[in-house]
Amino acid sequence: MTVRRLLLVAGLLTGISLAAVAFVNAGRWLVVADPLVPAEVILPLAGDRQRPAHAAELFLDHNAELFAITRLWIEPASVREWYVRDVARSVIERGVPEDAVVAIPGIGSTTYHEVANVRSYAESQGWSSLLVVTSSWHSRRARAITRRLFRDSEVTVSVRPAPERRFELGSWWRSELGRQRVLSEYLKLIALQLGIN
């Protein structure tokens, strides 16, 4: 075998190895976490029961003042209101004081619109700091969106991931839910980079 062929084979094997490593770590790469600092308001993004549960833990551990809830984007409106009541009930049962729970008015059909709505409300209320909690596999995109939308805001925002208990991010391809979540997030990240909100 010539040196040229050996280099070609070595390059091909290296490329295959790198692709395999990227594939295996695709789920873990989606997870980011800002440093955990005290925040005035803790807010789980809508859509997942793990988010409010983890947000309640952070609220109690870090003495936040308010626990904010956003509405689901689905119809009918009665389902959105049921979601707010259900999240409020579940976090109050976990120890969040009832008078600390606030529902943010309006809805957003995407994470981008949800966070834009949160910014508008946060500024209208004079909030100084906000901790956004979301699913682990959603945290990279959620952080990119919050950084973009709060870039020139006086509200300090950080993002923390809730632990994923339904599938393993290190073997995401073995679970139907894992495949759905991870592949969907990559498509949405691409859309975000292309300016599709």
Side-chain angles (χ1 to χ4, degrees), residues 6-86:
L6 280 172
L7 289 173
L8 184 62
V9 169
L12 183 61
L13 291 174
T14 301
I16 291 169
S17 297
L18 290 174
V21 168
F23 178 84
V24 168
N25 289 301
R28 289 189 189 109
W29 183 82
L30 292 172
V31 183
V32 295
D34 289 327
L36 191 51
V37 295
E40 179 185 4
V41 182
I42 295 188
L43 175 136
L45 293 177
D48 188 314
R49 290 188 175 277
Q50 294 177 103
R51 298 172 186 181
H54 189 62
E57 291 174 18
L58 293 173
F59 180 95
L60 296 170
D61 289 346
H62 298 281
N63 299 315
E65 294 175 29
L66 295 172
F67 188 100
I69 303 171
T70 58
R71 288 169 168 78
L72 284 172
W73 50 89
I74 59 176
E75 294 292 344
S78 61
V79 173
R80 294 195 295 264
E81 298 313 312
W82 169 86
Y83 174 79
V84 169
R85 288 191 307 272
D86 187 57

